[in-house]
Amino acid sequence: MNGFGRMGNSARRGATAPPRLVRIVSLVLTASLATIGLVAVQPALQAQALDGSQFNAGYIIDDSNFYDANAMSQAQIQAFLAAKEGSCTNSNCLQALTAETSSKPVVMSTSTGNVRCGAYSGGSLEPAAAIIFKVQQACGISAKVILVTLQKEEGLVTAKGPSDAAVSHAMGYACPDTAPCALASLSFFEQVYQGVLQLNTYRAAKFGKQPGLQSIAYNPNASCGAKTFVVSNYATAALYNYTPYTPNDAALANLLGPAPCGAYGNRNFWVYYNNWFGGPTGNPQGALQTSVAADNTVTVTGWAVDPDVPSSATSVRVSGNGWSQVLSANSANPASQGALAGAGTNHGFSATLFATVGTQQVCAVAINQGLGTDVSLGCQSVTVPTKVASTPRIGGTDRYDTAVQIAKANFTTPGIPVVYIASGENFPDALSAVPIAAATGAPLLLVTSSSVPQGVLDELNALQPKRIIVVGGAQAISPADFAALTTVAGLAKNGSGAPDVVRIQGTDRYQTSIAIGDSLYAPPAAHPAMAYVAIGENFPDAISAASAAGYTKSPLVLIDGGASVVPADIAAALKRWGVSKITVVGGVDAISDQLLAGLNAIAPATRVSGTDRYATSVAINAAAFSSAAGAYIATGSNYADGLTGGAVAGAKGNPMFLSPGSCVPQGAIGQIVTWGATSLTLLGGTAALGPGAQALNPC
């Protein structure tokens, strides 16, 4: 082969253009700039907000977008031309143009034996859209590439009344700067057919520049210099063979105009393609290779690389039935070798992910960066097993009834030693009561400030406790409530002969937590090994600590997170109880390092926290429990179920995790799997913990 597409849009148009070029350009100067590679109709930037920094000289268009024999139907091409041109002023506009075409045989490369173009069946007065479509199919070059080339060469796609000369030079094929165009090429059909044949020849015949390291000039003027880079694929190499210049930084900084030593053909190809059809490269590539299921998990491997940022790690979203997680494809994977020239092999991903139990499709999607769209890497079917034999639910019509149902499920023999009663309208008093109830193996029931719900009274009469401990002052639980509780069956008599119902209270939530601790741990009682300290202004950290505190038989002390020093009464209580270590629950936003240091002066203090309430719950349970046969889950959005359920969880030696309503935190599932727990009890109704949580959908 010794013929090639014109350098037009390259050497044919230049700042130092020959006289013949000056005559041509003068006809369109008001709509274009007489500079190398700049088309007659200058592209306009559109919604994609293109930026020259997004142009990758080594990867202008993907092979899949370039070599696509079915990119557009004839009808789609016709509609596209009509939309771009609007109303025509002559019969040369492409939506109206018809042309004689001749039949062409299959064209083979004599050097490689590859097909350069398949056969073309000619006809009389074929529409331009039909010619573009049939050449696309015969030669395997996308109609989108043909349309963009027609535009960047002669502005034909948007021209309402192009000249005969523009139509006869449509693709700029065989029109060198130093001689007239080859007469045999001067028709619309021959320009499209011969130009597209040439674009395919570079790959089929291994002709001209090929993928690999290349030095591409900025301009016909050698003093303008050149750029050496890796040409990543055949399609980009074809563009540089057809238009042998690359835009310099100045041309890319001014996408709508000229620049010193600039060349614009390949730049404008990129701009037009983006504006009309979306990113010509952009789309990531890769594959989901394996998906292997184990208890509550799926281990996936694969690879992904994004041509816009080949040296960076591509993010991959792996998802299944109700769960998803984003991974970084940044590890070694031989399959990614050769996917993109110069990208290397470190584009693999491999991870074990928590997954919903059951049969499901595990799918991976490469998340696009820059231009392009996200790309599916494939799906695989797996069946995820679990050792958790059951996920029963304990719930009621409201928080008071849920507390009753928890008691019914766990305390079935009348005559229990004690029941704790706290307000269901606020959390602090009940929080302090949870570890004491858990430590003594007692249920915790809730009442309002003005009444004891009938369901609570009925359950108390069924339990027949020997003693009732009311936690909180008269504002939290009224004297009328207290009096109603004294009527419960089975109560023992105190020293004065009255039913054994006692109130434990302090002047505020902090003092109440101390008073509750004193009820079990004040001398001469045995010293607890540890105390938990959490803020009293909010409930999540303290709820997570309460069941763990009950399990370890430790008091839970509420502290003012805004305090700068440890209050004297809290310091005195911790010393009085003789604790040998302190677990501080929550991050520095909850309890400052200054407070932590003050507590550490009383006994060795360790902070346990996570990135949020759910991660903090996992961290607390991991620190408190070395094993567990079962676990409880309560909503982290409200406190009531966690209070009453936490007392039972702690008493049974089971952890209680906080969870969103629609899924279970991955950290919690991880702990459950690590412990080998076989049962998981949900606390509350479906409004609190929905089907996703019951199915152990990870989040």
Side-chain angles (χ1 to χ4, degrees), residues 183 185-186 477 629 631 672:
L183 292 177
S185 72
L186 290 181
I477 299 177
I672 292 166

Side-chain angles (χ1 to χ4, degrees), residues 474-492:
Q475 287 187 328
I477 299 177
S478 68
D481 280 3
F482 191 92
L485 294 171
T486 63
T487 66
V488 169
L491 288 171

Side-chain angles (χ1 to χ4, degrees), residues 136-332:
Q136 166 192 245
Q137 294 220 307
C139 300
I141 300 292
S142 163
K144 296 176 182 178
V145 171
I146 300 171
L147 290 166
V148 168
T149 305
L150 290 169
Q151 180 68 9
K152 82 179 184 70
E153 292 292 336
E154 294 292 343
L156 287 179
V157 174
T158 57
K160 296 180 181 298
S163 67
D164 291 344
V167 171
S168 65
H169 297 78
M171 293 280 284
Y173 174 77
C175 292
D177 289 331
T178 55
C181 296
L183 292 177
S185 72
L186 290 181
S187 73
F188 180 78
F189 168 67
E190 291 295 339
Q191 279 287 306
V192 172
Y193 175 78
Q194 297 291 345
V196 172
L197 171 66
Q198 190 62 41
L199 285 171
N200 202 33
T201 295
Y202 302 121
R203 181 178 72 165
K206 306 299 182 189
F207 174 71
K209 294 181 178 67
Q210 296 294 295
L213 190 66
Q214 299 286 353
S215 179
I216 309 293
Y218 288 124
N219 190 280
N221 185 344
S223 66
C224 289
K227 181 177 183 178
T228 300
F229 53 89
V230 172
V231 174
S232 295
N233 62 332
Y234 287 107
T236 301
L239 292 180
Y240 282 123
N241 281 306
Y242 203 83
T243 304
Y245 302 101
T246 192
N248 59 20
D249 290 343
L252 292 174
N254 184 23
L255 283 181
L256 297 183
C261 284
Y264 314 105
N266 287 316
R267 180 198 71 175
N268 288 354
F269 179 97
W270 178 77
V271 171
Y272 275 121
Y273 199 104
N274 270 285
N275 282 346
W276 289 353
F277 305 116
T281 58
N283 295 349
Q285 52 190 292
L288 173 63
Q289 294 169 312
T290 64
S291 301
V292 179
D295 286 337
N296 298 90
T297 63
V298 173
T299 298
V300 295
T301 63
W303 65 275
V305 60
D306 192 319
D308 284 335
V309 284
S311 61
S312 300
T314 298
S315 294
V316 176
R317 180 179 292 104
V318 180
S319 61
N321 183 14
W323 60 271
S324 69
Q325 188 167 338
V326 175
L327 307 177
S328 182
N330 59 2
S331 59

